[in-house]
Amino acid sequence: MKKREFLKTSAILSAGALIAPAVATSCMNGSAKDGATASLVVQDDDGEFLQPELGYAFDALEPNIDAMTMELHYEKHHAGYTRKLNAALKVADMHSTDIYKIFASVSDYGMDIRNNGGGYFNHNLYWKFMSPDGGGEPTGELASALASNFGSFSEFKDLFSATAGSQFGSGWAWLILNDDGKLQVTSTPNQDNPLMDISPVKGTPLLNVDVWEHAYYLHYQNMRASYIEAYWNVIDWKFVESLYNDAVSS
Ligand code: MN3
């Protein structure tokens, strides 16, 4: 390329960068929109992924989730996944990335992008599923859908807890809306999620729980079941409902 052409190309690329929004957000299906999913993924104007704000203090979920676990989980584990995802994308020379598109063809990428991309996104969701004002039971259409899919809220709760409890080793349990429009409970190992092409069970995430030991071991030691039981006390059903409403209307 001649120098003049190079300068011209650079100018066009720069102009493109200038009109990019300072903070880009995207939703589950990859197109920007308002609503519950809009703030799940945060990127700066270079396309680098940023940790969303936690939205509550580290000690706000006490006594269900202890402050030390929250601080280490957010400041060390999640920050690490975020940093390593950005580093892996840089090595792969990928910019202006859409994480939903990456997940949809994650088998095309290296394990560093799969593991850290999942680690980044799964925790973005997890923080939002918890609230100091959480607990109780869902209402509205989600409550009806849970009852018709699982028999009752109580039966759904038992299935979700059992699935989280029996995930072998590190991973996540999920409530998803699958491609048949049904609610389904599933689990994934490591940092995989149901948006990934490699996942045997796929769908739109509506709720998750982190069952890596780092999520509970400081306070609950080996008693994963006690942590899962406490998790029900902090679930923000309003957020779960808003994801469900977005998923069924898209
Ligand atoms: Mn974790």
Side-chain angles (χ1 to χ4, degrees), residues 200-223:
V201 177
K202 286 187 258 309
T204 302
L206 304 178
L207 177 66
N208 71 15
V209 64
D210 187 345
V211 293
W212 283 60
E213 286 185 345
H214 66 227
Y216 61 88
Y217 213 87
L218 282 180
H219 186 70
Y220 292 100
Q221 294 83 48
N222 61 318
M223 296 176 291

Short mmCIF file of all heavy atoms in Angstrom, two decimals, residues 200-223:
data_model
loop_
_atom_site.label_atom_id
_atom_site.label_comp_id
_atom_site.label_asym_id
_atom_site.label_seq_id
_atom_site.Cartn_x
_atom_site.Cartn_y
_atom_site.Cartn_z
N PRO A 200 -24.35 -28.65 24.97
CA PRO A 200 -25.34 -29.65 24.53
C PRO A 200 -26.77 -29.14 24.67
O PRO A 200 -27.64 -29.51 23.91
CB PRO A 200 -25.10 -30.84 25.46
CG PRO A 200 -23.79 -30.60 26.11
CD PRO A 200 -23.56 -29.13 26.11
N VAL A 201 -27.01 -28.29 25.69
CA VAL A 201 -28.34 -27.70 25.90
C VAL A 201 -28.21 -26.19 25.70
O VAL A 201 -27.43 -25.54 26.38
CB VAL A 201 -28.86 -28.01 27.31
CG1 VAL A 201 -30.20 -27.34 27.55
CG2 VAL A 201 -28.96 -29.51 27.53
N LYS A 202 -28.96 -25.66 24.74
CA LYS A 202 -28.82 -24.24 24.40
C LYS A 202 -30.11 -23.47 24.66
O LYS A 202 -31.20 -24.01 24.58
CB LYS A 202 -28.42 -24.09 22.93
CG LYS A 202 -26.96 -24.47 22.68
CD LYS A 202 -26.54 -24.16 21.26
CE LYS A 202 -26.50 -25.38 20.37
NZ LYS A 202 -25.75 -26.53 20.88
N GLY A 203 -29.95 -22.19 24.97
CA GLY A 203 -31.11 -21.33 25.17
C GLY A 203 -30.68 -19.98 25.72
O GLY A 203 -29.49 -19.72 25.90
N THR A 204 -31.67 -19.14 25.98
CA THR A 204 -31.42 -17.81 26.53
C THR A 204 -31.37 -17.88 28.05
O THR A 204 -32.34 -18.33 28.67
CB THR A 204 -32.56 -16.86 26.10
OG1 THR A 204 -32.62 -16.84 24.67
CG2 THR A 204 -32.30 -15.45 26.62
N PRO A 205 -30.28 -17.45 28.67
CA PRO A 205 -30.18 -17.52 30.13
C PRO A 205 -31.19 -16.59 30.82
O PRO A 205 -31.33 -15.43 30.45
CB PRO A 205 -28.76 -17.04 30.42
CG PRO A 205 -28.01 -17.20 29.14
CD PRO A 205 -29.03 -16.96 28.06
N LEU A 206 -31.88 -17.14 31.82
CA LEU A 206 -32.82 -16.35 32.62
C LEU A 206 -32.40 -16.28 34.08
O LEU A 206 -32.85 -15.40 34.83
CB LEU A 206 -34.22 -16.95 32.54
CG LEU A 206 -34.81 -17.12 31.13
CD1 LEU A 206 -36.18 -17.78 31.23
CD2 LEU A 206 -34.89 -15.78 30.41
N LEU A 207 -31.58 -17.23 34.51
CA LEU A 207 -31.09 -17.28 35.90
C LEU A 207 -29.88 -18.22 35.91
O LEU A 207 -29.85 -19.19 35.17
CB LEU A 207 -32.18 -17.84 36.83
CG LEU A 207 -31.80 -18.02 38.32
CD1 LEU A 207 -31.53 -16.68 38.99
CD2 LEU A 207 -32.90 -18.78 39.07
N ASN A 208 -28.90 -17.88 36.72
CA ASN A 208 -27.80 -18.82 36.91
C ASN A 208 -27.37 -18.81 38.38
O ASN A 208 -27.82 -17.97 39.17
CB ASN A 208 -26.61 -18.52 35.97
CG ASN A 208 -25.83 -17.25 36.32
OD1 ASN A 208 -25.95 -16.69 37.41
ND2 ASN A 208 -25.03 -16.77 35.38
N VAL A 209 -26.54 -19.77 38.71
CA VAL A 209 -25.86 -19.75 40.02
C VAL A 209 -24.46 -20.32 39.82
O VAL A 209 -24.28 -21.34 39.13
CB VAL A 209 -26.65 -20.49 41.12
CG1 VAL A 209 -26.78 -21.98 40.82
CG2 VAL A 209 -25.99 -20.28 42.49
N ASP A 210 -23.49 -19.64 40.37
CA ASP A 210 -22.09 -20.02 40.28
C ASP A 210 -21.82 -21.09 41.33
O ASP A 210 -21.99 -20.84 42.53
CB ASP A 210 -21.23 -18.77 40.54
CG ASP A 210 -19.75 -18.98 40.30
OD1 ASP A 210 -19.30 -20.13 40.20
OD2 ASP A 210 -19.04 -17.94 40.22
N VAL A 211 -21.42 -22.29 40.90
CA VAL A 211 -21.08 -23.31 41.90
C VAL A 211 -19.59 -23.66 41.89
O VAL A 211 -19.19 -24.74 42.32
CB VAL A 211 -21.96 -24.59 41.76
CG1 VAL A 211 -23.40 -24.25 42.12
CG2 VAL A 211 -21.89 -25.22 40.38
N TRP A 212 -18.77 -22.74 41.38
CA TRP A 212 -17.34 -22.86 41.63
C TRP A 212 -17.12 -22.68 43.14
O TRP A 212 -17.81 -21.88 43.78
CB TRP A 212 -16.57 -21.75 40.89
CG TRP A 212 -16.40 -21.96 39.42
CD1 TRP A 212 -17.38 -22.10 38.48
CD2 TRP A 212 -15.15 -22.02 38.70
NE1 TRP A 212 -16.83 -22.25 37.24
CE2 TRP A 212 -15.47 -22.20 37.35
CE3 TRP A 212 -13.81 -21.92 39.09
CZ2 TRP A 212 -14.48 -22.30 36.36
CZ3 TRP A 212 -12.83 -22.02 38.11
CH2 TRP A 212 -13.17 -22.21 36.75
N GLU A 213 -16.14 -23.36 43.68
CA GLU A 213 -15.90 -23.23 45.13
C GLU A 213 -15.59 -21.80 45.54
O GLU A 213 -15.90 -21.40 46.67
CB GLU A 213 -14.78 -24.19 45.57
CG GLU A 213 -15.25 -25.64 45.61
CD GLU A 213 -14.20 -26.58 46.16
OE1 GLU A 213 -13.02 -26.19 46.24
OE2 GLU A 213 -14.58 -27.73 46.49
N HIS A 214 -14.99 -21.00 44.64
CA HIS A 214 -14.66 -19.62 45.02
C HIS A 214 -15.91 -18.80 45.33
O HIS A 214 -15.83 -17.75 45.94
CB HIS A 214 -13.78 -18.92 43.95
CG HIS A 214 -14.42 -18.68 42.62
ND1 HIS A 214 -13.82 -18.98 41.42
CD2 HIS A 214 -15.61 -18.13 42.29
CE1 HIS A 214 -14.61 -18.64 40.42
NE2 HIS A 214 -15.71 -18.12 40.92
N ALA A 215 -17.08 -19.29 44.89
CA ALA A 215 -18.33 -18.56 45.13
C ALA A 215 -18.86 -18.76 46.55
O ALA A 215 -19.72 -18.01 47.00
CB ALA A 215 -19.39 -19.00 44.12
N TYR A 216 -18.35 -19.78 47.25
CA TYR A 216 -18.96 -20.07 48.56
C TYR A 216 -18.03 -20.61 49.63
O TYR A 216 -18.40 -20.67 50.80
CB TYR A 216 -20.13 -21.06 48.38
CG TYR A 216 -19.76 -22.41 47.80
CD1 TYR A 216 -19.35 -23.46 48.62
CD2 TYR A 216 -19.82 -22.64 46.42
CE1 TYR A 216 -19.01 -24.70 48.08
CE2 TYR A 216 -19.48 -23.88 45.88
CZ TYR A 216 -19.08 -24.91 46.71
OH TYR A 216 -18.75 -26.12 46.18
N TYR A 217 -16.80 -21.01 49.26
CA TYR A 217 -16.01 -21.82 50.19
C TYR A 217 -15.58 -21.08 51.46
O TYR A 217 -15.49 -21.68 52.53
CB TYR A 217 -14.78 -22.40 49.48
CG TYR A 217 -14.40 -23.75 50.02
CD1 TYR A 217 -14.98 -24.91 49.52
CD2 TYR A 217 -13.49 -23.88 51.05
CE1 TYR A 217 -14.67 -26.16 50.03
CE2 TYR A 217 -13.16 -25.12 51.57
CZ TYR A 217 -13.75 -26.25 51.05
OH TYR A 217 -13.44 -27.48 51.57
N LEU A 218 -15.34 -19.77 51.36
CA LEU A 218 -14.90 -19.01 52.55
C LEU A 218 -15.92 -19.08 53.67
O LEU A 218 -15.58 -19.19 54.84
CB LEU A 218 -14.68 -17.54 52.18
CG LEU A 218 -13.40 -17.17 51.45
CD1 LEU A 218 -13.39 -15.67 51.18
CD2 LEU A 218 -12.17 -17.58 52.25
N HIS A 219 -17.20 -18.99 53.30
CA HIS A 219 -18.27 -18.94 54.29
C HIS A 219 -18.91 -20.31 54.52
O HIS A 219 -19.25 -20.65 55.66
CB HIS A 219 -19.33 -17.94 53.86
CG HIS A 219 -20.41 -17.71 54.86
ND1 HIS A 219 -20.19 -17.04 56.05
CD2 HIS A 219 -21.72 -18.08 54.88
CE1 HIS A 219 -21.31 -16.99 56.75
NE2 HIS A 219 -22.25 -17.62 56.07
N TYR A 220 -19.09 -21.07 53.45
CA TYR A 220 -19.85 -22.32 53.56
C TYR A 220 -18.98 -23.57 53.50
O TYR A 220 -19.50 -24.68 53.63
CB TYR A 220 -20.91 -22.38 52.44
CG TYR A 220 -22.01 -21.35 52.61
CD1 TYR A 220 -21.99 -20.16 51.87
CD2 TYR A 220 -23.06 -21.56 53.50
CE1 TYR A 220 -22.99 -19.21 52.02
CE2 TYR A 220 -24.06 -20.62 53.66
CZ TYR A 220 -24.03 -19.45 52.92
OH TYR A 220 -25.03 -18.52 53.06
N GLN A 221 -17.66 -23.36 53.31
CA GLN A 221 -16.72 -24.48 53.15
C GLN A 221 -17.26 -25.50 52.13
O GLN A 221 -17.63 -25.11 51.05
CB GLN A 221 -16.42 -25.14 54.51
CG GLN A 221 -15.65 -24.22 55.47
CD GLN A 221 -16.57 -23.28 56.20
OE1 GLN A 221 -17.57 -23.70 56.74
NE2 GLN A 221 -16.23 -22.00 56.22
N ASN A 222 -17.33 -26.77 52.51
CA ASN A 222 -17.75 -27.79 51.55
C ASN A 222 -19.27 -27.91 51.41
O ASN A 222 -19.76 -28.73 50.64
CB ASN A 222 -17.18 -29.16 51.97
CG ASN A 222 -17.68 -29.57 53.33
OD1 ASN A 222 -17.75 -28.75 54.24
ND2 ASN A 222 -18.04 -30.84 53.48
N MET A 223 -20.01 -27.04 52.09
CA MET A 223 -21.47 -27.19 52.13
C MET A 223 -22.13 -26.41 50.99
O MET A 223 -22.79 -25.38 51.20
CB MET A 223 -22.01 -26.76 53.49
CG MET A 223 -21.49 -27.67 54.60
SD MET A 223 -22.02 -27.14 56.24
CE MET A 223 -21.08 -25.64 56.47
#
